[in-house]
Amino acid sequence: MAEETLATILIGESHYAAIATAAQETLAFTPEKRGCDLIFFDAWKHSLRYPFTVETDGQTVLNPDMAQSISTIAYNYDKVELITVLGGGHHLALTLLDNGHPMDVILPDRPDLSLRDDATLVSVDFAKAIFLQLIATPFTSLACLKAAFPELPFAQIECPPANGDDDYVRSHLGNYFEANYSPEQLDAISSPAQRYKFWKLQSEMYADKCLELGIDYMRVPEPAISADGFLKPEHFGSDSTHANAAYGRIILDTIEARLGQKFMAWNSFG
Amino acid sequence: MTHPYRNLPAYTRWSLAVAEPAYPEVNPVVGFPFKVGPQDKVATAGSCFAQHIARRLKASGYNYFVAEPGHPLAQESLAERYNYRVFSARYANLYTTRQLVQLIERAYGERQPLADHWELPNGRFVDPLRPTIEPNGFSSLAELEADRRQHLASVRRMFEELDVFVFTLGLTEAWVDNVDGTVFPVCPGVAGGNFDPDRHIFHNFGIGEVVEDLRVAIGRILAVNPSARFILTVSPVPLIATAEDRHVLVSTTYSKSVLRVACDEIARAFPERVGYFPSYEIIMGTFNRGRYFAPDLRSVTEEGVSHVMRIFMETVSTGGANELPPPPQTDDVEAALSRLEEAQRVVCEEELLELARKQEASTGLN
């Protein structure tokens, strides 16, 4: 009896890139032959402005084009798994550079982490409420995906841990910040403790949201995290925000463990 | 025949000043000792009625001084939900004059209440002197303690930098820790903590105590800010309940009477520094025939607050334009959030450019 075909659909914004790159480097590209395949959404084609949700009759729903693509894939495979890497960069948008109003928190399980003297201390609840102003969109996308495909196994992957290396962060801020911020601002990056804390807060918010929506939440696996909770240097990406393909491969391994089988090939859509 | 009443101004005559004018025209302010200009940093504290004054000052374009604004990325409604920007610092309601004195003492390290924290059934923590300041309680004791340190630093800054301090006196009844005399804003057990009848004592402050508290508070503030001026008002909001074994109307009249007399004594004692502003009279005066209370006979209506603030602006403010930049508005916060989102999008898009290049190379497609 032929083995069941399984499509793992990966949908994300920028953090899916590490996983997709790892897939391209370690899997075959076979658009026709089906097996256990990773099929990712080509967010890069839409300059990260792809509307995952649309308003229809006063309701917010999954973009019909996305829904159709997923349905088409589902039609062509025996089983489908949905994996998302939505959002993820907002903790850095809030804290990476000193925007004149540094913010800091005390994590209840890590009161030992240093506090910036010049930061406004806010409660974790208040910080999360401020955060929510930024991450409402990916939360809505998760909800709409789940609503459109309630029966599909669905997991959101935790975004990569923060980069704890100040020198690396300073020297890899990227063109946008370098073009729009003064040298003083570029030098005034957040502290590693701040970057860790806000990554953790954001992760908690995603975990809570996924629990609420009935979506599994896949934490970053241990091999990808340093002893003090940061992204390992060997996994640093080309900028201070993202991880590289080696990290992506670890995530692929984690997904394969969840599936109980190895990927054979990759493909993309969108 | 002549007598002292013959040539007194119209405002001294009830018929001319209260009974005959249309109710919106009644203005009980005569000769306020100083003016408040748009450049003056005006701080507020006091009972819940003080929140109305704060809100209207903010909206009026005057320099409402907030020393503890939270974070600028929080929109106004969010900040207020967490009790930021409701008053000039995040102390919540200060109902009694003793609380004001003790706030000053705590800010300058002279009082460390034994009731340091209360633990909620859900494992979170509250500050006994600000039990509802954090909507769901603080997530850890460390968070509570750090927030309190930051708060008290903001209180110091507020007292040291303000130009005008508006204090609304609310109550004379309070619950006191009989071990160290700390006055709680809310009876222990109501919003956290456990009521201990042996430790938590009811006290109804008398006129001598309230006057002395105001003298001490004003003296302490002037010691760190010699140019500060003070506006005292009495909240017209009745007691929601009295702990005295008597009718709540009787207790309310007692409390408001004590507070009103205390304001008069202090205004007379500091004639150039302290002005009494008659919010109480405007709301309670019979001339308005009860219009300024909602059906619950406790909540002051917007019409009443408007009358109070209109008289304030006409008689206490200089009426000049505010040249200071306005406080952050919702649009500013949204613009800041949009910039952050755009920055993140651009950085993330750059990440994808490399993926696109590799993908096209892998698939032979371009």
Side-chain angles (χ1 to χ4, degrees):
Chain A
M1 191 169 92
E3 229 173 277
E4 283 187 319
T5 58
L6 167 61
T8 298
I9 300 173
L10 177 70
I11 298 170
E13 289 156 313
S14 64
H15 284 298
Y16 89 95
I19 307 168
T21 302
Q24 290 167 17
E25 291 176 355
T26 58
L27 306 175
F29 172 62
T30 53
E32 299 301 330
K33 184 177 176 181
R34 297 183 188 96
C36 176
D37 302 331
L38 179 72
I39 306 176
F40 49 81
F41 173 64
D42 285 328
W44 62 267
K45 291 182 179 176
H46 305 272
S47 301
L48 287 179
R49 294 191 191 281
Y50 183 78
F52 285 100
T53 62
V54 297
E55 295 292 316
T56 303
D57 298 327
Q59 282 196 308
T60 305
V61 297
L62 185 65
N63 186 321
D65 291 339
M66 172 65 71
Q68 182 59 53
S69 295
I70 294 173
S71 297
T72 301
I73 294 170
Y75 180 81
N76 290 317
Y77 282 79
D78 297 315
K79 293 192 295 186
V80 174
E81 185 97 6
L82 194 54
I83 302 284
T84 55
V85 201
L86 287 169
H90 294 97
H91 66 103
L92 291 168
L94 255 186
T95 61
L96 184 59
L97 285 186
D98 183 350
N99 53 17
H101 305 286
M103 188 192 309
D104 213 340
V105 294
I106 296 177
L107 297 183
D109 58 346
R110 291 297 308 274
D112 57 297
L113 293 174
S114 63
L115 278 173
R116 279 179 65 157
D117 290 338
D118 61 338
T120 298
L121 176 78
V122 297
S123 66
V124 294
D125 286 357
F126 191 49
K128 286 182 178 179
I130 293 173
F131 241 133
L132 194 57
Q133 294 171 132
L134 279 174
I135 63 177
T137 300
F139 277 8
T140 303
S141 300
L142 285 171
C144 289
L145 270 165
K146 183 65 180 177
F149 298 98
E151 302 304 320
L152 286 185
F154 185 173
Q156 156 80 6
I157 300 178
E158 187 178 40
C159 81
N163 189 316
D165 185 330
D166 280 350
D167 290 336
Y168 193 90
V169 169
R170 270 198 194 87
S171 58
H172 292 79
L173 286 170
N175 296 330
Y176 178 85
F177 289 113
E178 288 166 9
N180 291 283
Y181 286 71
S182 70
E184 292 73 29
Q185 287 175 309
L186 293 176
D187 193 53
I189 59 171
S190 52
S191 67
Q194 264 180 306
R195 297 198 291 276
Y196 172 80
K197 288 183 221 179
F198 283 89
W199 169 77
K200 202 81 174 103
L201 276 187
Q202 179 182 269
S203 185
E204 276 178 22
M205 293 181 72
Y206 272 89
D208 289 344
K209 192 64 179 176
C210 286
L211 183 64
E212 175 195 322
L213 295 173
I215 299 171
D216 295 334
Y217 190 61
M218 291 174 61
R219 302 275 182 182
V220 171
E222 291 289 328
I225 306 180
S226 69
D228 47 2
F230 293 103
L231 189 66
K232 286 182 175 175
E234 57 265 37
H235 296 148
F236 288 177
S238 58
D239 60 33
S240 55
T241 302
H242 298 92
N244 62 14
Y247 173 88
R249 184 63 245 180
I250 294 176
I251 300 300
L252 280 177
D253 293 342
T254 306
I255 298 173
E256 287 175 342
R258 171 184 167 87
L259 299 175
Q261 54 190 116
K262 298 283 190 186
F263 287 119
M264 301 298 292
W266 71 271
N267 199 343
S268 70
F269 71 101
Chain B
M1 278 171 53
T2 187
H3 55 80
Y5 292 93
R6 179 179 285 279
N7 296 313
L8 289 179
Y11 56 71
T12 65
R13 296 189 177 279
W14 189 270
S15 59
L16 296 176
V18 180
E20 290 176 12
Y23 75 93
E25 304 307 317
V26 173
N27 177 0
V29 178
V30 174
F32 206 80
F34 54 82
K35 293 288 193 182
V36 178
Q39 311 290 332
D40 288 323
K41 294 163 85 168
V42 181
T44 67
S47 72
C48 38
F49 187 73
Q51 294 181 30
H52 289 300
I53 298 174
R55 184 166 47 85
R56 291 302 183 95
L57 277 175
K58 268 192 275 188
S60 68
Y62 269 65
N63 188 6
Y64 178 59
F65 181 30
V66 179
E68 191 176 5
H71 195 276
L73 281 180
Q75 296 188 355
E76 198 70 15
S77 57
L78 173 59
E80 289 186 359
R81 190 157 21 110
Y82 280 80
N83 295 294
Y84 290 102
R85 311 173 201 168
V86 176
F87 291 112
S88 294
R90 199 176 172 220
Y91 28 64
N93 292 342
L94 300 175
Y95 295 104
T96 63
T97 53
R98 187 60 56 86
Q99 283 175 265
L100 175 62
V101 170
Q102 293 185 351
L103 173 68
I104 297 170
E105 291 173 347
R106 287 189 298 120
Y108 288 93
E110 296 160 10
R111 170 177 287 273
Q112 287 173 357
L114 294 170
D116 177 71
H117 66 273
W118 289 333
E119 189 168 345
L120 295 174
N122 63 6
R124 286 190 158 218
F125 299 86
V126 299
D127 179 347
L129 301 185
R130 302 182 296 158
T132 58
I133 207 70
E134 190 63 27
N136 297 310
F138 290 97
S139 64
S140 67
L141 191 51
E143 182 179 80
L144 185 162
E145 291 171 346
D147 181 87
R148 184 161 50 208
R149 281 194 296 274
Q150 178 176 261
H151 162 63
L152 293 177
S154 299
V155 170
R156 289 195 295 276
R157 183 179 152 236
M158 181 193 77
F159 285 131
E160 292 165 13
E161 295 184 17
L162 60 81
D163 293 308
V164 179
F165 183 52
V166 181
F167 185 63
T168 301
L169 291 78
L171 299 175
T172 55
E173 296 190 15
W175 290 87
V176 182
D177 186 336
N178 76 345
V179 177
D180 67 355
T182 295
V183 174
F184 298 102
V186 178
C187 179
V190 170
N194 297 302
F195 181 72
D196 178 355
D198 294 327
R199 179 163 178 179
H200 302 133
I201 306 301
F202 172 70
H203 185 71
N204 200 347
F205 290 98
I207 182 64
E209 292 171 303
V210 175
V211 170
E212 182 59 17
D213 284 342
L214 287 173
R215 281 187 189 276
V216 168
I218 289 170
R220 289 300 307 271
I221 295 169
L222 286 174
V224 298
N225 187 348
S227 60
R229 291 162 289 161
F230 303 83
I231 296 176
L232 301 180
T233 72
V234 175
S235 168
V237 179
L239 273 62
I240 197 167
T242 178
E244 296 271 18
D245 186 14
R246 61 187 181 187
H247 199 281
V248 66
L249 184 56
V250 173
S251 282
T252 295
T253 303
Y254 167 79
S255 287
K256 301 304 178 181
S257 300
V258 165
L259 298 176
R260 179 64 187 89
V261 170
C263 286
D264 200 77
E265 291 200 15
I266 291 298
R268 289 177 191 267
F270 297 89
E272 294 174 9
R273 288 280 179 188
V274 179
Y276 171 73
F277 185 78
S279 322
Y280 182 83
E281 286 82 345
I282 292 170
I283 301 301
M284 294 296 293
T286 49
F287 67 91
N288 64 56
R289 293 169 171 79
R291 277 184 176 86
Y292 293 160
F293 279 104
D296 66 358
L297 300 182
R298 282 196 77 242
S299 309
V300 177
T301 63
E302 283 303 306
E303 187 185 11
V305 175
S306 293
H307 190 159
V308 167
M309 293 313 295
R310 177 167 48 79
I311 299 299
F312 183 94
M313 291 302 174
E314 286 175 2
T315 59
V316 179
S317 78
T318 60
N322 185 357
E323 293 170 0
L324 293 171
Q329 302 296 320
T330 298
D331 289 347
D332 294 338
V333 173
E334 288 180 353
L337 291 171
S338 291
R339 281 194 296 274
L340 287 176
E341 285 193 288
E342 180 62 14
Q344 191 219 246
R345 191 195 68 78
V346 172
V347 168
C348 293
E349 192 180 15
E350 290 179 353
E351 167 76 358
L352 295 187
L353 292 177
E354 183 60 16
L355 172 64
R357 187 193 65 74
K358 288 182 181 177
Q359 189 167 324
E360 287 169 339
S362 296
T363 60
L365 301 171
N366 55 36

